[in-house]
Structures are given as C-alpha cells and as structure tokens.
Amino acid sequence: MTAAALLTGGLLAPALVTVVGVLAPAVVARNVWRLARTALLLTLPLAVSILLVNVLFFPGGQEVIFAVGPVRATVEGLRFAIETLLRLAAISGAISLFYLTTPPGELAVDLERRGVSPRLTFIVHAAVQTVPAMVERAAAITAAQRARGLDTEGSPWKRLRGLLPLAGPVLLGSIADVEERTMALEARGFTRPGRRTLLWHPADSGGQAAARWLMLAVVPALVVARAFGLLDWMG
Amino acid sequence: MLALESVTYRYAGATRPSLRDVSVAFGDGEVVGVTGRSEAGKTTLCLVACGIAPRTVGGTLTGRVLLDGEDTAPLPMHALVGRVGMGFSRPATQLSGVAGTVYEEVAFGPMNLGLPRAEVIERTESAIAALRIEPLAARDPRRLSGGQQQLVSMAGLLALRPAHLVLDEPTAQLDPAGTRLVGAALGRLAERGASIAVTEQKTDLLAAIATRIVVVDEARVVLEGPAADVLADPALEGFGVAAPAPIRLERAAAAADLPAGAIARLREAAAK
Ligand SMILES: Nc1ncnc2c1ncn2[C@@H]1O[C@H](COP(=O)(O)OP(=O)(O)OP(=O)(O)O)[C@@H](O)[C@H]1O
Ligand SMILES: [Mg+2]
C-alpha cells in the first residue's frame, strides 16, 4: 500500500489508495476510529509542517492566494501540499492498519513458520513487546521519584528537567536486565541450534492469502503503468 | 547428583576469584540451601553449577563441575539445558518476552528443544499442574504479580524436565505471600526427586524447606551440614546470616534469664 501510494502520483491516485486499500479493510475490521486516531497521532506534526512549508514557500509558485511581506501562499504550493498529504495519509494509514490488525505474536510465529530465523523474529518480537514494559517501568519510576519530591508535572521545561533523572534508571535498568535476560534465555535452550517446535499457526484464510497476492501484484502493475505513462490522466 | 570439585572461578576482568576452591554436592531429592552475606559468591556458585559461567559470562574456571558423575567441561550450554535448570531472582527478567500467555511462556523451553508438539503440550500442562498455576494459564505473564511470575518461570524450568534445579534467591523480590507460594512449590518439586540448590538469605524459609545448608563467605564454603545444625550454629551470624526467628527468640530469652517454661510459651505464641 505504501509502495502504491508512492508510485501513483497526482491527487486522485493516493486518495483512491487510501479509500480502497486502507479505509475499506478498516471498515471491515471495525477499526476506523482507532485507525484514524493512530494515523493522525503518527503524522500530525509532519502534516502540519508539510502544509505550511509548501503553501508558503513553494518555489516558482505563480498564482498567489495571499502575500504577507516576503511570504506568498501559492496555488501550486497548495496543490503540491495536498498531493503530499494524501500520500502521507495512505502511508500512515497503511502502517497503522498493519499495527492495529497484526498482533506481534502472530506475526512472529508466522515469520518463523515461513523459515525466518527464530533469533531474528525474537528480536523484532521482543522489541515490540518491550515498549509497553519500558513505558510501565518509566511510569513506576516517575511515581517513585515524584513521591520523593521530584517535579514531573508543570511547565514543559520543568517536565523536561524531570525526565533526566528518569532516563538513567530506565536505561540502566534495561541494560542490567539484558545480561540476566540473556542468561535466562540460554538456560531455557533458546540458543540451541536447529528448528524449534511451534505450538500453533495463526489463522490464515484463503481470503487473506488472496489479498496478499493481490497487493503484491498491484505494485509491479503500477510500476509498469506509470512507466508507460498510463496513469497520467489521474492528474 | 550435581557436584563442584575444588572449583575456583574468576569473572573476566576481575582481580580476584569469586569462588575459591569450592567443593559442594547437591544430591538427588535434596533441597540444599546456599546462604551467606551479600557479595559472598552465592550467585556465582549458581552460575557455575548450572554451566552459565563460564559459558555465557566468560571468566576462567579451574576444578570440575560434575553432572551425574560426568565432567561438564566439554559440553556446550545447550547440551546442559534439560539437565540443569537455573532460576534467577528477578521475576520479570526471566520471562521470555515473547509469550502472550502463561501457557506459551511455560512452553517456551520445550519449544526451543524442538520436541514433538504433543510432548511440548504434555510437558507444559504437567509443569503448570505441578506448580498449581492452572488458573493463570491464559493470563499475560507480564501482568502478573512478582510471586506469580516467579511460579511461572519455575514452571518454565520444570517443563525442561531437568534432574537438577539451581535457583538464585527465588524469593528475594517477593512479599511474604509470594515467598510462601514459592516455598511450598519448592517442597513439592523436591518430592519429585530432583536435586534443588536454592540460595536464600531468609533463613526462616530455609528452615522450612532445606535438608542441608551451605554457607558461603568471601568466595569460600565456610559452613556446611544438616539444616538444623547449621541454622543453630553460633558461627552463623559471624558470616552475616541471621538465624531463624525461633532460634533468635530462644537466644534472646536465654540471655534475658527467662525461666524455661517462658521460652516454650513464647515459642507457642510466635508459632500462632
Ligand atoms: N559479572 C561480574 N564481573 C566481575 N565480578 C563480579 C561479577 N558478578 C559478581 N562479581 C563479584 O563476585 C563476588 C560475588 O558476587 P555474587 O553475585 O556471587 O554474590 P552474592 O552472594 O550473590 O551476593 P548478593 O547477595 O548481593 O546477591 C562479588 O565480589 C562481586 O563483586
Ligand atoms: Mg546474588
């Protein structure tokens, strides 16, 4: 989907990709609101800056909408900004959709079933799982430090300063953990060479497989179509 | 039997050994308590006994570590898995980090061994039953209490079916309720015939579960014998280990010149 959004230029295409490729499956999965929120949170700062920079400073813009001093908002800039934003929407929508619909455990098991090394899937999986653990640990340390009179609320500057003593324990704690974690993993045979037993296979319907093949097929199709100029009509 | 024979071990980069000429044996069906002050070398003794030191952490070892009479020196770490299980004191760091449920967490070891699926399931379920954590099986292991997590990781070790278990302060981070849970579980494990070495500073717990006690100080074994004898040994406190509460109570009563009947009544009251 991300690739599709990058390949198709113009206004119409990324909008189409967003609707067909991201929104429609999200509706099916009843996830539209969470999806919209995640995608927005993910890209809002980027989107705002894209909009401002392009509308106000687009090089060679002719049709001026309004001008304040040296800054001129141009139609070309606006058009380019909207184009970029639509692509961004498709990309962030696709990533968010993936994140919301794919539990890390299932992804890891499936990758391993398909022959990806258990160590590699472990790293990805453990990393994804560790983020909430680190957030929880940070919350616990914040609470402990606040109990000892440390300021973690109030003005942004105060909060930033409050973060410094937090960074130490969170990071050092994680590093000290790593050594013991490694030993514990080894003691449980994780480094044994050879295949591991997998307990279960994630459900994989014919429909899901078909959708994957379709998505894979669409990308080269778009490359070819774009190379031959077949998509120019889209704007 | 898991035995260390005149083992001297030095961590990589350390100036002096953390174990000096240590000889101990952990017999089958025995719960051996290993105690001693902080920095005495208890954790090091565990790491050496189960082969993690020097295999995973490096360092130099002289002397022999014998597993049922076999010298372990030529064996790689993964060959020891399933023969010696090692538990650590911090509950959270022992979780695999990739299991979404307690069931998968317990199954992690047998899965790593590449056992047939049916055997993985059989071992997982019997380990869960042995520690009586069936009600937790479907829960997320990261969201359990420390005591529950410790039981889950013990079940994970048990599912590897090791003949020897080495547990480093399994109750260090637990509250009294968690400590009782783990203590009871240890007792049940010993009945199954495994040798269990458990380091512990809580001598009250050792009094309840250990058959034999080894005291370590400054990298050496300084005291060893049947649990009751070692715990009552006046030298114990000199090695930085507090005697169990009943023994301290008795000593305090004797020092205060209380009549013998009073001591018995005090003990009764303390037991309640
Ligand atoms: N990774 C290491 N590298 C170098 N020296 C170490 C390492 N780990 C422990 N030591 C040293 O080895 C000695 C014994 O430490 P060990 O952790 O075995 O003590 P312990 O009896 O388990 O203490 P505690 O009750 O605090 O857990 C200490 O002097 C310690 O500083
Ligand atoms: Mg220790």
Side-chain angles (χ1 to χ4, degrees), chain A residues 122 125-126 129 132 136 173 176-177 179-193 195-200, chain B residues 47 52 56-57 77-78 81 88 90 93-98 104-105 107-109 111-115 117 120 142-143 160:
Chain A
F122 177 85
H125 193 176
Q129 304 265 36
E136 267 169 37
D177 276 3
E179 201 181 6
E180 201 169 295
R181 246 176 227 285
T182 316
M183 295 193 283
L185 282 174
E186 286 225 39
R188 293 172 76 187
F190 186 67
T191 50
R192 193 191 72 98
R195 266 193 100 76
R196 301 171 65 228
T197 314
L198 294 177
L199 269 191
W200 48 281
Chain B
L47 293 176
I52 291 179
T56 304
V57 293
M77 191 64 222
H78 59 83
V81 176
F88 297 83
R90 279 181 291 169
T93 52
Q94 297 183 77
L95 298 176
S96 67
V98 291
E104 290 168 277
E105 181 65 43
F108 181 75
M111 283 164 71
N112 287 335
L113 294 185
L115 300 168
R117 192 167 169 277
V120 172
R142 281 154 300 180
R143 297 208 151 54
L160 290 162

Side-chain angles (χ1 to χ4, degrees), chain B residues 19-46:
Chain B
L19 291 181
R20 289 171 198 265
D21 195 24
V22 168
S23 298
V24 282
F26 307 116
D28 299 346
E30 213 182 15
V31 180
V32 181
V34 177
T35 189
R37 72 175 96 233
S38 229
E39 305 278 281
K42 304 182 295 294
T43 299
T44 311
L45 178 59
C46 292

Side-chain angles (χ1 to χ4, degrees), chain A residues 83-176:
Chain A
E83 237 173 66
T84 314
L85 286 184
L86 279 171
R87 285 184 194 188
L88 190 66
I91 294 169
S92 69
I95 293 173
S96 309
L97 184 67
F98 176 75
Y99 169 75
L100 287 179
T101 55
T102 313
E106 284 195 18
L107 178 68
V109 169
D110 200 54
L111 285 176
E112 203 172 320
R113 185 170 68 93
R114 288 165 200 273
V116 177
S117 132
R119 291 189 197 207
L120 192 67
T121 56
F122 177 85
I123 291 170
V124 176
H125 193 176
V128 176
Q129 304 265 36
T130 306
V131 173
M134 273 182 96
V135 171
E136 267 169 37
R137 177 202 217 93
I141 294 174
T142 317
Q145 291 185 336
R146 198 180 298 153
R148 282 180 280 142
L150 193 89
D151 232 335
T152 48
E153 282 172 345
S155 76
W157 170 237
K158 260 188 171 172
R159 297 182 65 156
L160 199 66
R161 266 189 320 185
L163 278 180
L164 282 180
L166 183 67
V170 172
L171 288 179
L172 284 183
S174 311
I175 291 170

Side-chain angles (χ1 to χ4, degrees), chain B residues 246 249-254 256-271:
Chain B
L249 183 66
E250 209 159 315
R251 283 185 192 152
D257 257 347
L258 294 185
I263 297 175
R265 282 207 305 282
L266 270 176
R267 198 186 284 164
E268 262 168 44

